[in-house]
Structures are given as structure tokens and as C-alpha cells.
Amino acid sequence: MADTTPRAMIEIAGLQKSFGATQVLTGINLSVPSGHTCVILGGSGSGKTVLMKHMIGLLKPDAGGVVIDGEDLVPMGAEDLERVRRKFGMVFQAAALFDSLDIYENVAFPLREHTKLPEEGIRKRVRAKLDLMGLPRSVENKVPADLSGGMRKRVGLARAIVMDPKIVLYDEPTTGLDPISTDYVDEMILAAQRELGITSVVISHDISSAFNIADQIAFLSKGVILEEGPPERVRESRNPVVQHFLQTWFGKNE
Ligand SMILES: Nc1ncnc2c1ncn2[C@@H]1O[C@H](COP(=O)(O)OP(=O)(O)OP(=O)(O)O)[C@@H](O)[C@H]1O
Ligand SMILES: [Mg+2]
């Protein structure tokens, strides 16, 4: 029988990381199939950002492997890491836009840095991504301070996908947004996945958002994954820590 499971874009095995005497990740195994959206849920300080930094080779593990699109990052030198990083887009916790550049130039920035595209080609790509994020032409000449928080996040997203990455990592993309803006950003994450086939890893402690967008949820606590799988499975988890965390949200909303 043909194997129809998409191959893993991200494959993490036995990942361990300590800072000084503090062990932050104590043996992470996680596989994210190509084109899937994996949400990493967990409380503050559980190791979510540290895990994400390993995926892009910003941190080296003490033990274990991080295989991206078939290549292990752990033994790689700077040059190879740089090449693999081009497969990634990053959306940071704060939108991290350049305050003094207008929206057009913010989104164009990676293209100017990494390609020799003529202006016409840059304009085409910038506009395609702004369109995909539901941002009107009228924002192009505004500076970030003129936009709402939700719009700024969508600009950050447009910039993250302007190089057509295979993988996008989102660190808390909806923190600090009201529920309507949160829904909108969630929609955009799904649009990027659907239209561009992007593999997404989203760090969140927003449970409703997580269940809206995830194909797969990994629940992290104190450096271990307590539960992992499709949202329904995580929802039904018998692990008391996972249940307690979910109750804080589902308990209020059911
Ligand atoms: N470079 C570092 N040096 C020392 N300790 C670190 C470093 N980076 C992270 N830590 C520690 O690792 C633990 C996990 O941090 P991490 O940033 O991954 O948490 P998190 O799950 O992303 O939390 P939050 O939801 O608050 O962003 C914390 O105790 C943090 O202090
Ligand atoms: Mg974090």
C-alpha cells in the first residue's frame, strides 16, 4: 500500500538543553509533517521559545537531533545554517517592524537583502503578500505606528512569507490582541498554509486560537511534551497537567 503520510518537514529527536545547572528541555521528540500547522502550547517558562530557537539553529542542543527538510542542523557550520535558514520565515512576539520604514519597505526588506529582483518584481511580490493578508493598498505608504496592533501583526506575517519560505515559525502571534484581531490573524496563518503550502509552528498560550488553527498540538511543560497529536486527542488527554491547563479556558467557555 502506498504511504500517503506527508514526510516530516521538522523532525526533533531526544532534544536536551540546559543553561548552567537548569535543564530547560529534557528529551523532546516532535515530528511536524510537511504542510501541517503545529501549535506548541504551554505555560510561561515551559521552554517553548527555547525549542523554537533550536528549530532554526539559533541554539545548539546538548543532545539530540534537529532535522529540517531532511538535513540535521546540529553538526552544521555557519554557512550551511545560513542556507537552511532561508527556508524559514519568522514572526516574532512583538511585530518587530522597522518604525521608520513604511509598510511597503518593511515587507520589501527581505527581498532587497537577499535577491536582486528589479523594482517591478519586488512590487509584485510585496503586493501579492499584502493582498493575501487582507491589507489594502492604502497601508503601503503608512508607517507601523499608524496601524492597529492587529494590522501590524499581519504586516509582520506578510514580511515573513515574502521570500516564499517552506516553514514559518510564529512566536505568540496573537498575544495582546483583542478577540476579533486574534481571529483575523488566525485566518491569515491558515491562509498562508492553504495558499502557499507552508509548514507552520505556532507558539501560543491562547487555547482557543490553538484549537482553531492546529492540525497538531504539542503540550509542553517543564521541558517535556506531555501530550501530542491532533487537537481532539489533546482535548481528551488524561494527563492532569494538560487537563488543568485546558480547563482554564474550556471550563469558562462551555
Ligand atoms: N539564553 C538563556 N540563558 C539562560 N536561561 C535561559 C535562556 N533562554 C531561556 N532560558 C530559560 O529557559 C526557560 C524556558 O524559557 P522559554 O523562553 O523557552 O520559555 P517560554 O515557554 O517561551 O515562556 P513564555 O511563554 O514566557 O515566552 C526559562 O526558565 C528561561 O529563563
Ligand atoms: Mg516564549
Side-chain angles (χ1 to χ4, degrees):
M1 212 173 77
D3 183 5
T4 53
T5 318
R7 86 194 163 84
M9 182 60 80
I10 301 171
E11 188 84 59
I12 290 175
L15 183 64
Q16 295 184 27
K17 182 69 176 178
S18 298
F19 295 105
T22 319
Q23 189 158 31
V24 174
L25 301 177
T26 58
I28 301 282
N29 299 300
L30 181 66
S31 175
V32 184
S34 179
H36 276 210
T37 297
C38 173
V39 176
I40 299 173
L41 268 182
S44 195
S46 57
K48 303 183 297 295
T49 298
V50 169
L51 174 58
M52 187 172 268
K53 284 182 174 166
H54 281 87
M55 291 179 183
I56 196 166
L58 287 174
L59 287 172
K60 288 263 187 211
D62 301 328
V66 180
V67 177
I68 301 296
D69 203 11
E71 292 183 280
D72 191 354
L73 303 192
V74 179
M76 278 186 189
E79 206 168 299
D80 279 329
L81 274 176
E82 190 53 40
R83 178 178 53 76
V84 174
R85 282 197 192 118
R86 300 255 171 108
K87 298 182 182 189
F88 284 89
M90 272 293 299
V91 178
F92 297 95
Q93 194 152 345
L97 300 174
F98 303 109
D99 296 332
S100 58
L101 296 183
D102 68 15
I103 299 310
Y104 181 93
E105 286 303 326
N106 261 286
V107 178
F109 190 82
L111 296 171
R112 298 203 193 285
E113 282 279 285
H114 299 297
T115 76
K116 293 190 168 65
L117 280 174
E119 195 57 36
E120 197 44 44
I122 289 182
R123 186 174 310 117
K124 230 173 101 190
R125 291 199 188 193
V126 168
R127 291 196 163 159
K129 297 311 190 255
L130 290 174
D131 286 349
L132 185 62
M133 291 301 125
L135 292 160
R137 286 283 141 79
S138 57
V139 303
E140 283 183 5
N141 301 112
K142 293 186 170 157
V143 290
D146 294 338
L147 302 187
S148 69
M151 278 182 136
R152 280 202 293 273
K153 298 266 185 188
R154 279 146 61 198
V155 173
L157 234 147
R159 187 177 62 187
I161 61 176
V162 78
M163 297 280 290
D164 290 323
K166 287 188 164 183
I167 309 165
V168 180
L169 306 181
Y170 303 85
D171 197 348
E172 305 269 2
T174 59
T175 297
L177 296 183
D178 61 62
I180 292 174
S181 304
T182 295
D183 282 352
Y184 216 101
V185 169
D186 286 348
E187 289 285 318
M188 297 305 121
I189 292 173
L190 291 174
Q193 180 205 26
R194 196 175 52 235
E195 306 291 323
L196 309 170
I198 284 171
T199 306
S200 310
V201 178
V202 185
I203 290 183
S204 183
H205 38 230
D206 183 330
I207 293 166
S208 86
S209 214
F211 278 80
N212 273 338
I213 63 175
D215 296 306
Q216 171 187 14
I217 291 177
F219 188 93
L220 195 62
S221 173
K222 296 183 182 152
V224 285
I225 292 177
L226 294 182
E227 195 71 71
E228 189 275 313
E232 320 78 76
R233 187 190 316 157
V234 174
R235 177 81 178 85
E236 302 297 317
S237 171
R238 289 168 186 272
N239 185 295
V241 178
V242 178
Q243 270 311 323
H244 180 78
F245 190 87
L246 296 183
Q247 283 309 318
T248 58
W249 188 79
F250 284 113
K252 281 200 303 265
N253 290 278
E254 277 177 0

mmCIF file of all heavy atoms in Angstrom, residues 211-240:
data_model
loop_
_atom_site.group_PDB
_atom_site.id
_atom_site.type_symbol
_atom_site.label_atom_id
_atom_site.label_comp_id
_atom_site.label_asym_id
_atom_site.label_seq_id
_atom_site.Cartn_x
_atom_site.Cartn_y
_atom_site.Cartn_z
ATOM 1 N N PHE A 211 -6.726 25.707 19.149
ATOM 2 C CA PHE A 211 -7.679 24.713 18.645
ATOM 3 C C PHE A 211 -8.291 25.136 17.310
ATOM 4 O O PHE A 211 -8.761 24.298 16.551
ATOM 5 C CB PHE A 211 -8.735 24.395 19.708
ATOM 6 C CG PHE A 211 -8.236 23.388 20.714
ATOM 7 C CD1 PHE A 211 -7.412 23.789 21.758
ATOM 8 C CD2 PHE A 211 -8.538 22.037 20.590
ATOM 9 C CE1 PHE A 211 -6.910 22.867 22.675
ATOM 10 C CE2 PHE A 211 -8.040 21.113 21.499
ATOM 11 C CZ PHE A 211 -7.223 21.528 22.546
ATOM 12 N N ASN A 212 -8.279 26.451 17.020
ATOM 13 C CA ASN A 212 -8.767 26.919 15.717
ATOM 14 C C ASN A 212 -7.851 26.549 14.567
ATOM 15 O O ASN A 212 -8.317 26.281 13.464
ATOM 16 C CB ASN A 212 -8.864 28.458 15.710
ATOM 17 C CG ASN A 212 -10.174 28.936 16.240
ATOM 18 O OD1 ASN A 212 -11.147 28.184 16.236
ATOM 19 N ND2 ASN A 212 -10.215 30.168 16.703
ATOM 20 N N ILE A 213 -6.554 26.634 14.798
ATOM 21 C CA ILE A 213 -5.638 26.564 13.647
ATOM 22 C C ILE A 213 -4.840 25.273 13.552
ATOM 23 O O ILE A 213 -4.311 24.972 12.488
ATOM 24 C CB ILE A 213 -4.652 27.757 13.643
ATOM 25 C CG1 ILE A 213 -3.755 27.747 14.879
ATOM 26 C CG2 ILE A 213 -5.404 29.072 13.542
ATOM 27 C CD1 ILE A 213 -2.686 28.826 14.850
ATOM 28 N N ALA A 214 -4.770 24.498 14.636
ATOM 29 C CA ALA A 214 -3.807 23.390 14.665
ATOM 30 C C ALA A 214 -4.262 22.155 13.900
ATOM 31 O O ALA A 214 -5.426 21.769 13.955
ATOM 32 C CB ALA A 214 -3.522 22.992 16.113
ATOM 33 N N ASP A 215 -3.341 21.532 13.165
ATOM 34 C CA ASP A 215 -3.515 20.145 12.741
ATOM 35 C C ASP A 215 -3.012 19.236 13.860
ATOM 36 O O ASP A 215 -3.399 18.088 13.981
ATOM 37 C CB ASP A 215 -2.663 19.848 11.496
ATOM 38 C CG ASP A 215 -3.115 20.664 10.301
ATOM 39 O OD1 ASP A 215 -4.312 20.590 9.972
ATOM 40 O OD2 ASP A 215 -2.285 21.384 9.715
ATOM 41 N N GLN A 216 -2.102 19.814 14.646
ATOM 42 C CA GLN A 216 -1.372 19.036 15.639
ATOM 43 C C GLN A 216 -1.043 19.980 16.791
ATOM 44 O O GLN A 216 -0.659 21.120 16.560
ATOM 45 C CB GLN A 216 -0.083 18.580 14.938
ATOM 46 C CG GLN A 216 0.972 17.925 15.742
ATOM 47 C CD GLN A 216 2.242 17.709 14.872
ATOM 48 O OE1 GLN A 216 2.379 18.275 13.787
ATOM 49 N NE2 GLN A 216 3.146 16.913 15.364
ATOM 50 N N ILE A 217 -1.210 19.496 18.013
ATOM 51 C CA ILE A 217 -0.848 20.302 19.187
ATOM 52 C C ILE A 217 0.182 19.533 19.997
ATOM 53 O O ILE A 217 0.054 18.320 20.190
ATOM 54 C CB ILE A 217 -2.095 20.603 20.059
ATOM 55 C CG1 ILE A 217 -3.048 21.559 19.316
ATOM 56 C CG2 ILE A 217 -1.702 21.218 21.407
ATOM 57 C CD1 ILE A 217 -4.343 21.872 20.054
ATOM 58 N N ALA A 218 1.224 20.241 20.434
ATOM 59 C CA ALA A 218 2.185 19.630 21.353
ATOM 60 C C ALA A 218 2.108 20.428 22.648
ATOM 61 O O ALA A 218 2.264 21.655 22.634
ATOM 62 C CB ALA A 218 3.594 19.689 20.777
ATOM 63 N N PHE A 219 1.832 19.755 23.726
ATOM 64 C CA PHE A 219 1.699 20.440 25.010
ATOM 65 C C PHE A 219 2.997 20.294 25.801
ATOM 66 O O PHE A 219 3.383 19.183 26.187
ATOM 67 C CB PHE A 219 0.519 19.879 25.803
ATOM 68 C CG PHE A 219 0.257 20.687 27.036
ATOM 69 C CD1 PHE A 219 -0.663 21.720 27.017
ATOM 70 C CD2 PHE A 219 0.969 20.450 28.202
ATOM 71 C CE1 PHE A 219 -0.873 22.498 28.151
ATOM 72 C CE2 PHE A 219 0.770 21.215 29.337
ATOM 73 C CZ PHE A 219 -0.156 22.244 29.314
ATOM 74 N N LEU A 220 3.648 21.417 26.025
ATOM 75 C CA LEU A 220 4.963 21.418 26.668
ATOM 76 C C LEU A 220 4.827 21.856 28.118
ATOM 77 O O LEU A 220 4.126 22.829 28.424
ATOM 78 C CB LEU A 220 5.842 22.412 25.901
ATOM 79 C CG LEU A 220 7.344 22.383 26.106
ATOM 80 C CD1 LEU A 220 7.921 21.042 25.683
ATOM 81 C CD2 LEU A 220 7.997 23.499 25.283
ATOM 82 N N SER A 221 5.489 21.132 29.009
ATOM 83 C CA SER A 221 5.513 21.531 30.410
ATOM 84 C C SER A 221 6.865 21.152 30.987
ATOM 85 O O SER A 221 7.302 20.001 30.850
ATOM 86 C CB SER A 221 4.387 20.831 31.162
ATOM 87 O OG SER A 221 4.502 21.080 32.545
ATOM 88 N N LYS A 222 7.531 22.116 31.579
ATOM 89 C CA LYS A 222 8.840 21.883 32.196
ATOM 90 C C LYS A 222 9.780 21.101 31.288
ATOM 91 O O LYS A 222 10.453 20.159 31.722
ATOM 92 C CB LYS A 222 8.664 21.153 33.526
ATOM 93 C CG LYS A 222 7.896 21.993 34.544
ATOM 94 C CD LYS A 222 7.797 21.292 35.873
ATOM 95 C CE LYS A 222 6.977 22.133 36.849
ATOM 96 N NZ LYS A 222 6.295 21.319 37.843
ATOM 97 N N GLY A 223 9.791 21.460 30.022
ATOM 98 C CA GLY A 223 10.788 20.881 29.122
ATOM 99 C C GLY A 223 10.475 19.507 28.570
ATOM 100 O O GLY A 223 11.330 18.896 27.931
ATOM 101 N N VAL A 224 9.261 18.988 28.825
ATOM 102 C CA VAL A 224 8.859 17.726 28.171
ATOM 103 C C VAL A 224 7.499 17.903 27.496
ATOM 104 O O VAL A 224 6.686 18.730 27.919
ATOM 105 C CB VAL A 224 8.758 16.513 29.139
ATOM 106 C CG1 VAL A 224 10.117 16.009 29.523
ATOM 107 C CG2 VAL A 224 7.934 16.857 30.357
ATOM 108 N N ILE A 225 7.281 17.119 26.435
ATOM 109 C CA ILE A 225 5.978 17.144 25.794
ATOM 110 C C ILE A 225 5.080 16.134 26.508
ATOM 111 O O ILE A 225 5.339 14.930 26.487
ATOM 112 C CB ILE A 225 6.103 16.843 24.289
ATOM 113 C CG1 ILE A 225 6.835 18.016 23.608
ATOM 114 C CG2 ILE A 225 4.724 16.635 23.659
ATOM 115 C CD1 ILE A 225 7.107 17.845 22.145
ATOM 116 N N LEU A 226 4.058 16.647 27.192
ATOM 117 C CA LEU A 226 3.178 15.773 27.978
ATOM 118 C C LEU A 226 2.134 15.101 27.101
ATOM 119 O O LEU A 226 1.644 14.020 27.424
ATOM 120 C CB LEU A 226 2.449 16.584 29.059
ATOM 121 C CG LEU A 226 3.313 17.176 30.165
ATOM 122 C CD1 LEU A 226 2.429 17.894 31.182
ATOM 123 C CD2 LEU A 226 4.146 16.106 30.850
ATOM 124 N N GLU A 227 1.750 15.794 26.029
ATOM 125 C CA GLU A 227 0.721 15.249 25.141
ATOM 126 C C GLU A 227 0.978 15.810 23.753
ATOM 127 O O GLU A 227 1.402 16.964 23.619
ATOM 128 C CB GLU A 227 -0.662 15.685 25.638
ATOM 129 C CG GLU A 227 -1.824 14.943 25.055
ATOM 130 C CD GLU A 227 -1.912 13.499 25.554
ATOM 131 O OE1 GLU A 227 -2.257 13.266 26.735
ATOM 132 O OE2 GLU A 227 -1.633 12.605 24.734
ATOM 133 N N GLU A 228 0.721 14.991 22.727
ATOM 134 C CA GLU A 228 0.975 15.475 21.371
ATOM 135 C C GLU A 228 0.053 14.731 20.427
ATOM 136 O O GLU A 228 -0.181 13.535 20.590
ATOM 137 C CB GLU A 228 2.449 15.207 21.030
ATOM 138 C CG GLU A 228 2.953 15.816 19.747
ATOM 139 C CD GLU A 228 2.685 14.951 18.523
ATOM 140 O OE1 GLU A 228 2.958 13.741 18.591
ATOM 141 O OE2 GLU A 228 2.175 15.492 17.530
ATOM 142 N N GLY A 229 -0.524 15.457 19.447
ATOM 143 C CA GLY A 229 -1.379 14.800 18.472
ATOM 144 C C GLY A 229 -2.409 15.758 17.924
ATOM 145 O O GLY A 229 -2.322 16.968 18.140
ATOM 146 N N PRO A 230 -3.427 15.225 17.216
ATOM 147 C CA PRO A 230 -4.485 16.089 16.702
ATOM 148 C C PRO A 230 -5.227 16.753 17.872
ATOM 149 O O PRO A 230 -5.258 16.186 18.973
ATOM 150 C CB PRO A 230 -5.423 15.125 15.962
ATOM 151 C CG PRO A 230 -4.753 13.805 15.940
ATOM 152 C CD PRO A 230 -3.630 13.804 16.918
ATOM 153 N N PRO A 231 -5.818 17.947 17.640
ATOM 154 C CA PRO A 231 -6.472 18.676 18.735
ATOM 155 C C PRO A 231 -7.444 17.816 19.551
ATOM 156 O O PRO A 231 -7.444 17.897 20.782
ATOM 157 C CB PRO A 231 -7.219 19.805 18.011
ATOM 158 C CG PRO A 231 -6.448 20.026 16.770
ATOM 159 C CD PRO A 231 -5.853 18.706 16.380
ATOM 160 N N GLU A 232 -8.244 16.966 18.870
ATOM 161 C CA GLU A 232 -9.221 16.136 19.611
ATOM 162 C C GLU A 232 -8.520 15.264 20.646
ATOM 163 O O GLU A 232 -9.016 15.085 21.753
ATOM 164 C CB GLU A 232 -10.008 15.184 18.694
ATOM 165 C CG GLU A 232 -10.453 15.716 17.349
ATOM 166 C CD GLU A 232 -9.321 15.740 16.317
ATOM 167 O OE1 GLU A 232 -8.946 14.695 15.780
ATOM 168 O OE2 GLU A 232 -8.824 16.867 16.070
ATOM 169 N N ARG A 233 -7.355 14.739 20.242
ATOM 170 C CA ARG A 233 -6.670 13.846 21.173
ATOM 171 C C ARG A 233 -6.151 14.617 22.392
ATOM 172 O O ARG A 233 -6.232 14.156 23.533
ATOM 173 C CB ARG A 233 -5.530 13.097 20.495
ATOM 174 C CG ARG A 233 -4.982 12.067 21.464
ATOM 175 C CD ARG A 233 -3.708 11.378 21.075
ATOM 176 N NE ARG A 233 -3.670 10.950 19.692
ATOM 177 C CZ ARG A 233 -2.534 10.738 19.040
ATOM 178 N NH1 ARG A 233 -1.379 10.903 19.653
ATOM 179 N NH2 ARG A 233 -2.559 10.348 17.802
ATOM 180 N N VAL A 234 -5.615 15.805 22.136
ATOM 181 C CA VAL A 234 -5.074 16.606 23.234
ATOM 182 C C VAL A 234 -6.217 17.058 24.151
ATOM 183 O O VAL A 234 -6.097 17.061 25.370
ATOM 184 C CB VAL A 234 -4.271 17.800 22.678
ATOM 185 C CG1 VAL A 234 -3.825 18.733 23.791
ATOM 186 C CG2 VAL A 234 -3.060 17.290 21.894
ATOM 187 N N ARG A 235 -7.345 17.384 23.538
ATOM 188 C CA ARG A 235 -8.538 17.784 24.294
ATOM 189 C C ARG A 235 -8.970 16.692 25.262
ATOM 190 O O ARG A 235 -9.437 16.958 26.361
ATOM 191 C CB ARG A 235 -9.654 18.080 23.282
ATOM 192 C CG ARG A 235 -10.996 18.441 23.855
ATOM 193 C CD ARG A 235 -11.027 19.895 24.269
ATOM 194 N NE ARG A 235 -12.342 20.262 24.783
ATOM 195 C CZ ARG A 235 -12.738 20.095 26.034
ATOM 196 N NH1 ARG A 235 -11.919 19.564 26.918
ATOM 197 N NH2 ARG A 235 -13.933 20.460 26.417
ATOM 198 N N GLU A 236 -8.796 15.429 24.832
ATOM 199 C CA GLU A 236 -9.223 14.274 25.643
ATOM 200 C C GLU A 236 -8.112 13.746 26.549
ATOM 201 O O GLU A 236 -8.272 12.689 27.157
ATOM 202 C CB GLU A 236 -9.668 13.118 24.722
ATOM 203 C CG GLU A 236 -10.810 13.457 23.762
ATOM 204 C CD GLU A 236 -12.091 13.805 24.495
ATOM 205 O OE1 GLU A 236 -12.398 13.100 25.467
ATOM 206 O OE2 GLU A 236 -12.743 14.804 24.106
ATOM 207 N N SER A 237 -6.995 14.463 26.600
ATOM 208 C CA SER A 237 -5.850 13.966 27.367
ATOM 209 C C SER A 237 -6.227 13.615 28.804
ATOM 210 O O SER A 237 -7.003 14.319 29.444
ATOM 211 C CB SER A 237 -4.751 15.032 27.393
ATOM 212 O OG SER A 237 -3.738 14.647 28.290
ATOM 213 N N ARG A 238 -5.641 12.522 29.287
ATOM 214 C CA ARG A 238 -5.881 12.147 30.672
ATOM 215 C C ARG A 238 -4.806 12.712 31.594
ATOM 216 O O ARG A 238 -4.838 12.501 32.811
ATOM 217 C CB ARG A 238 -5.887 10.622 30.811
ATOM 218 C CG ARG A 238 -7.108 9.999 30.197
ATOM 219 C CD ARG A 238 -6.954 8.489 30.096
ATOM 220 N NE ARG A 238 -8.088 7.948 29.362
ATOM 221 C CZ ARG A 238 -9.229 7.589 29.929
ATOM 222 N NH1 ARG A 238 -9.391 7.685 31.229
ATOM 223 N NH2 ARG A 238 -10.215 7.125 29.202
ATOM 224 N N ASN A 239 -3.835 13.394 30.987
ATOM 225 C CA ASN A 239 -2.784 13.974 31.827
ATOM 226 C C ASN A 239 -3.359 15.134 32.655
ATOM 227 O O ASN A 239 -3.929 16.069 32.105
ATOM 228 C CB ASN A 239 -1.641 14.470 30.937
ATOM 229 C CG ASN A 239 -0.467 14.960 31.760
ATOM 230 O OD1 ASN A 239 -0.581 15.941 32.483
ATOM 231 N ND2 ASN A 239 0.630 14.250 31.682
ATOM 232 N N PRO A 240 -3.218 15.064 33.985
ATOM 233 C CA PRO A 240 -3.845 16.091 34.829
ATOM 234 C C PRO A 240 -3.330 17.511 34.567
ATOM 235 O O PRO A 240 -4.090 18.480 34.656
ATOM 236 C CB PRO A 240 -3.526 15.641 36.262
ATOM 237 C CG PRO A 240 -2.508 14.558 36.152
ATOM 238 C CD PRO A 240 -2.581 13.996 34.765
#
